[in-house]
Structures are given as C-alpha cells and as structure tokens.
Amino acid sequence: IHDIPRLRIARSDLLLACKMMACLHDDGCIVAVSYAVRDKLVRYFKVDPGRIVVVPNGVDLHTITRVSKKASGEGRMGSFKLVYVGRLVRSKNVDHIFLALKHLDEMGYKITLDVIGSGKKLHHLQELSVRLGLDESVNFLGFVDDKLAVYKHMARADLFVSPSTFEGFGITLLESMAAGTPVVAYDLPAYHDFMKNHYNGMLVEPNNITKLVHAIR
C-alpha cells in the first residue's frame, strides 16, 4: 500500500482488499511504504497492526551520486535555481511555489524554477506564470522519462521544493537528497521516516505561503 487514495476507492472496498491480501496465508501481511501509511490503515480501516510490515521505498544511491557529481561539475549558471519534480495535479500545490516566487521577486531575489512533470494542472500553471509575470523565470520541461536526466536536473538545482499536501512516502525528496540538493517541503507525516526538520531539510507548515517563502530564503 503506497497510500490511502482519497475519494477514489470506498473505504469498505479497500478494507476488503486488505483483508483478502492478509488472509492469503496464515502468516500473510500487508506491506506499507511508510509508518504514516501504516497508521492510516490502523486508524481508518482497523487493520490489525500485527499484519502490517513497513518496507520503505529506496533509491539507487550509487547511480544518483555518480550522475549528480558529473552534473554538478558542469557548473551552475545564472540565478538561484529551484526544481520541482512530480505530477501537476491539485494535491501537489505547485502553484504555491509560483506564489512564493512572486513574493521573492518583489523582495529583489532573482530565482528560476524548473518544473518537471505533467498533469491536469499544466495549462493552469502556465497561465498563472504569465499572470504573475514569472513566465521568463519558470521553465516547464514536461514529463522526463529518462531518470538519469531527472537526477541531473536535481543536482544542478540549488533547492528542491515540494509543496504537496498528500503523500504516502516522498520518493522525489529522497532522490534530491541523494543528489546533494537541499529540500524544502510541506511537513507531512510520511516524510518523518527519513527527514528531520532543520537537520537534513526544512519542513514547513502546509499551505503557509509565508513560511514557504521564509524557508526558501
């Protein structure tokens, strides 16, 4: 279980699916990718915690380190660069990065943003960047199928920003950290498995644009 879908699957259907998986064998279990997902299964679906095993996602540290060192060696050009990698959907709140950039631009900070990903909010975000006067600062790179290319973009950035409010784990944050790029993200329970605020990243109160601006600064 990567997370509990919102409004996509009825609770009764998901609970039935969980029980069926656990009952395949006497020692059958449900695998959750984080303790946050495990807690949701216990709290909302009354799944026996003894039936849940947490197996977190992982990244290919050797490959990411190799690629990122080469990318970093190519040098960073121009202004301070942010990067976002993920789907362009409502729960990811990519528009929050745009609003933060607008505030920072008004403060005199020159920052660019690479947006890697696709989704239903693409056109809305493109229009928003123009409306905010950020169209020359935001680069929409679309969906990048080559993972090595994504790691290069992460490594070349000065900061990875993720304002998502719904995650079961947060693999892109882990990939960015592996690439040596600091992370600013909304504070979600799923991130606590591998992040500690102000130790290996900055976790911000969700939906608080002011604090997001402060963290990026």
Side-chain angles (χ1 to χ4, degrees):
I1 304 294
H2 288 268
D3 205 350
I4 307 303
R6 295 185 300 183
L7 306 178
R8 295 180 184 176
I9 301 177
R11 285 189 175 187
S12 58
D13 293 339
L14 183 58
L15 178 58
L16 177 61
C18 289
K19 287 183 175 179
M20 288 175 63
M21 287 188 291
C23 291
L24 288 176
H25 303 283
D26 291 339
D27 59 348
C29 67
I30 298 169
V31 177
V33 297
S34 68
Y35 287 94
V37 173
R38 182 200 65 176
D39 293 344
K40 287 181 183 179
L41 289 169
V42 174
R43 184 183 308 117
Y44 298 123
F45 300 101
K46 311 304 179 185
V47 177
D48 179 1
R51 288 279 190 158
I52 305 173
V53 177
V54 176
V55 181
N57 288 315
V59 299
D60 186 345
L61 184 60
H62 175 73
T63 298
I64 296 176
T65 301
R66 174 176 54 80
V67 171
S68 61
K69 282 184 177 179
K70 182 178 180 180
S72 298
E74 296 171 357
R76 293 176 174 144
M77 302 294 292
S79 59
F80 192 85
K81 182 182 289 292
L82 308 182
V83 64
Y84 166 84
V85 179
R87 293 180 296 129
L88 306 181
V89 295
R90 182 178 180 181
S91 64
K92 301 297 185 179
N93 303 301
V94 182
D95 57 318
H96 292 193
I97 309 178
F98 289 31
L99 296 175
L101 277 182
K102 181 62 176 179
H103 285 297
L104 290 162
D105 182 69
E106 292 172 348
M107 294 178 188
Y109 292 94
K110 299 303 177 184
I111 302 175
T112 59
L113 167 66
D114 286 345
V115 177
I116 299 176
S118 60
K120 295 180 178 179
K121 288 290 184 178
L122 174 59
H123 295 303
H124 166 74
L125 293 170
Q126 290 173 329
E127 293 174 353
L128 180 62
S129 69
V130 173
R131 192 160 67 248
L132 295 176
L134 299 172
D135 46 308
E136 294 186 1
S137 301
V138 179
N139 304 309
F140 291 94
L141 304 178
F143 175 76
V144 179
D145 187 52
D146 183 357
K147 292 295 291 184
L148 298 184
V150 174
Y151 300 149
K152 287 181 180 179
H153 282 290
M154 288 178 168
R156 289 170 183 158
D158 296 286
L159 188 66
F160 182 97
V161 182
S162 176
S164 176
T165 51
F166 183 69
E167 297 290 343
F169 185 77
I171 191 71
T172 55
L173 276 67
L174 203 60
E175 289 172 332
S176 180
M177 293 163 68
T181 299
V183 169
V184 167
Y186 280 159
D187 191 356
L188 304 181
Y191 300 157
H192 296 176
D193 285 10
F194 58 90
M195 285 187 70
K196 182 179 179 181
N197 193 22
H198 289 279
Y199 177 73
N200 61 348
M202 293 188 71
L203 298 174
V204 179
E205 177 186 350
N207 298 311
N208 191 322
I209 304 296
T210 300
K211 290 188 176 181
L212 183 62
V213 169
H214 178 72
I216 293 173
R217 288 181 64 195

